[in-house]
Amino acid sequence: MALFLKEGYANVTVEAVAEASSVSRRTVFRHFESKDELVFPDHTERLGLVERCLLEAAPDTDPVDAVIAATEASLRDFLSRPELALRRYKLTRVVPELRKREIIEHERYVALTRSFLRERLPPEAPPFQSMALAALIDAIHRSALGNWVRGGASDPLAELAAGMEWVRRLMVHQSTFTSTPLLLAVLPDTPHARRVLTSLKDAAEEVL
């Protein structure tokens, strides 16, 4: 990563990377299929970490909670290698094709968690829910990580926790909304009716 930043990504050959790493060109290609993959050496390993977290979740674990726990484990792994994450951020900001590759890498996480949610969410869940939740959780994760590498968020784990709590509230709200019968009423516009509606509104905000 340091070599790419110093010399420019387009100017660095795989041979130069091999020489700087004191290994052969063949060794580099044994571990990486292309030059682009050199920038994302940790993603396959981290995907394995997320997959293990999901597979090890107890059968009675809420599937959304399982994905949240796996996402937190993923972020902790990112933060355990700050030099790699920070240098990669700088590099992807100046090399457009690597920025596109980074987006593709994140889609691998979304595909993994979407598949898990599709299998574990209740049968009555809307068909779009697994995709929507997987994308939302990944977006919150990327926001926390992105703010950290840009120097904006001092505690990415706290930001992730706040975002995941918001996701949980959304799920509670949806559950309440879909499982509780709704009542539609027309009331006269009187001071008493307004007080009652205000009270109901306050009660609804507590649920939300």
Side-chain angles (χ1 to χ4, degrees), residues 5-24:
L5 288 169
K6 180 182 178 181
E7 304 292 340
Y9 178 74
N11 300 323
V12 177
T13 63
V14 173
E15 287 78 6
V17 172
E19 182 179 349
S21 305
S22 300
V23 299
S24 69

Side-chain angles (χ1 to χ4, degrees), residues 6-74:
K6 180 182 178 181
E7 304 292 340
Y9 178 74
N11 300 323
V12 177
T13 63
V14 173
E15 287 78 6
V17 172
E19 182 179 349
S21 305
S22 300
V23 299
S24 69
R25 183 176 185 274
R26 179 178 296 180
T27 298
V28 173
F29 280 115
R30 189 179 301 141
H31 295 279
F32 303 97
E33 293 183 1
S34 67
K35 179 179 168 181
D36 287 357
E37 285 194 7
L38 291 167
V39 183
F40 305 96
D42 51 329
H43 276 267
T44 297
E45 180 184 338
R46 189 171 299 109
L47 275 166
L49 168 66
V50 172
E51 186 172 21
R52 287 194 303 275
C53 288
L54 296 176
L55 291 174
E56 292 169 2
D60 59 346
T61 301
D62 181 280
V64 175
D65 282 337
V67 171
I68 288 174
T71 302
E72 181 179 313
S74 173

Side-chain angles (χ1 to χ4, degrees), residues 172-185:
V172 170
H173 171 56
Q174 181 199 43
S175 175
T176 302
F177 183 79
T178 56
S179 62
T180 304
L182 301 180
L183 176 65
L184 179 64

Side-chain angles (χ1 to χ4, degrees), residues 42-141:
D42 51 329
H43 276 267
T44 297
E45 180 184 338
R46 189 171 299 109
L47 275 166
L49 168 66
V50 172
E51 186 172 21
R52 287 194 303 275
C53 288
L54 296 176
L55 291 174
E56 292 169 2
D60 59 346
T61 301
D62 181 280
V64 175
D65 282 337
V67 171
I68 288 174
T71 302
E72 181 179 313
S74 173
L75 180 59
R76 288 185 183 277
D77 191 67
F78 264 114
L79 299 178
S80 71
R81 312 178 201 191
E83 194 75 9
L84 172 61
L86 293 170
R87 285 179 171 177
R88 177 164 51 215
Y89 172 75
K90 292 178 182 178
L91 189 61
T92 54
R93 298 287 81 75
V94 296
V95 184
E97 58 264 37
L98 291 180
R99 176 60 176 159
K100 293 176 183 177
R101 175 62 183 262
E102 186 176 47
I103 294 171
I104 293 172
E105 289 293 326
H106 278 288
E107 285 301 315
R108 295 171 67 192
Y109 293 92
V110 175
L112 181 60
T113 56
R114 179 182 67 230
S115 177
F116 175 83
L117 289 169
R118 186 186 296 121
E119 293 176 0
R120 297 291 190 93
L121 285 172
E124 65 273 13
F128 57 79
Q129 192 171 71
S130 58
M131 181 66 212
L133 284 170
L136 177 59
I137 290 172
D138 180 68
I140 294 171
H141 171 250

